[in-house]
Amino acid sequence: TTMGSTLIMGRKTFESIGKKPLPGRENFVLTRSKLPPLPSSPHKWGRIEVGGVRFFTSLEYAIKNASTENIFIIGGETLFKETINRVDGIYLTKIDALYEGDVFYPEIPAGFKEKSRVTLQENPKLEFIYYENTRKRNVSSPNVLIGERIICF
């Protein structure tokens, strides 16, 4: 689903996937650290590219720099909370099992409607659910989607 798209993630999520870009995708990492502007970039937000990963200090600037049709927000918790009311859809993987964790996905707002649900396995039950944002938005940006594994307790 994310192949050929832009992925936006927080720094901790980037570290949790091995500090490497996911192949076949445009990889953007948001950080609170100050980044120097590139010589060709007059923007105060800063952007720097290292090893095929572009680092930004502004979500808006990251979205404006996406060169793909779709953008996926893949974590972490703060970024999910910041973007959940702006996205067009949510891809949710639900695992019916108990796991320890310290990061949780926010509750899905009332404006989202379940459009599809596929059971991938039983025991533990593993479901892939797509929710569509049914509210009209005035956003002149590419489609922004959320995709992340959600562990349900």
Side-chain angles (χ1 to χ4, degrees):
T1 300
T2 63
M3 288 299 284
S5 298
T6 301
L7 305 180
I8 299 178
M9 66 193 93
R11 179 193 49 82
K12 289 180 187 175
T13 298
F14 177 63
E15 290 173 356
S16 77
I17 63 171
K19 297 183 183 179
K20 297 179 185 174
L22 294 173
R25 301 156 184 94
E26 193 171 51
N27 290 260
F28 291 179
V29 176
L30 292 179
T31 179
R32 290 185 185 101
S33 300
K34 296 220 184 241
L35 298 175
L38 294 177
S40 62
S41 173
H43 300 285
K44 64 180 179 184
W45 306 289
R47 160 177 87 77
I48 192 165
E49 186 166 342
V50 178
V53 178
R54 292 167 70 184
F55 292 84
F56 295 87
T57 56
S58 160
L59 175 62
E60 295 306 320
Y61 191 47
I63 290 171
K64 287 178 185 176
N65 278 269
S67 64
T68 64
E69 182 179 349
N70 292 313
I71 298 169
F72 287 83
I73 307 298
I74 66 166
E77 184 175 15
T78 301
L79 191 52
F80 285 142
K81 287 179 180 177
E82 184 179 340
T83 60
I84 195 162
N85 289 310
R86 305 178 52 182
V87 299
D88 296 316
I90 299 169
Y91 288 97
L92 179 89
T93 302
K94 183 177 178 182
I95 304 168
D96 191 17
L98 295 175
Y99 295 93
E100 284 190 38
D102 60 352
V103 175
F104 300 93
Y105 194 76
E107 188 165 327
I108 296 173
F112 286 82
K113 181 178 179 182
E114 185 178 317
K115 297 301 262 182
S116 67
R117 179 183 294 251
V118 177
T119 300
L120 302 172
Q121 76 175 38
E122 297 291 340
N123 200 19
K125 189 171 191 176
L126 177 64
E127 297 177 299
F128 188 67
I129 308 162
Y130 176 68
Y131 294 91
E132 183 177 80
N133 188 345
T134 59
R135 294 172 287 182
K136 287 268 189 188
R137 297 185 347 248
N138 283 328
V139 176
S140 59
S141 66
N143 294 328
V144 179
L145 306 170
I146 284 188
E148 175 68 355
R149 180 177 58 156
I150 305 305
I151 299 170
C152 299
F153 293 91

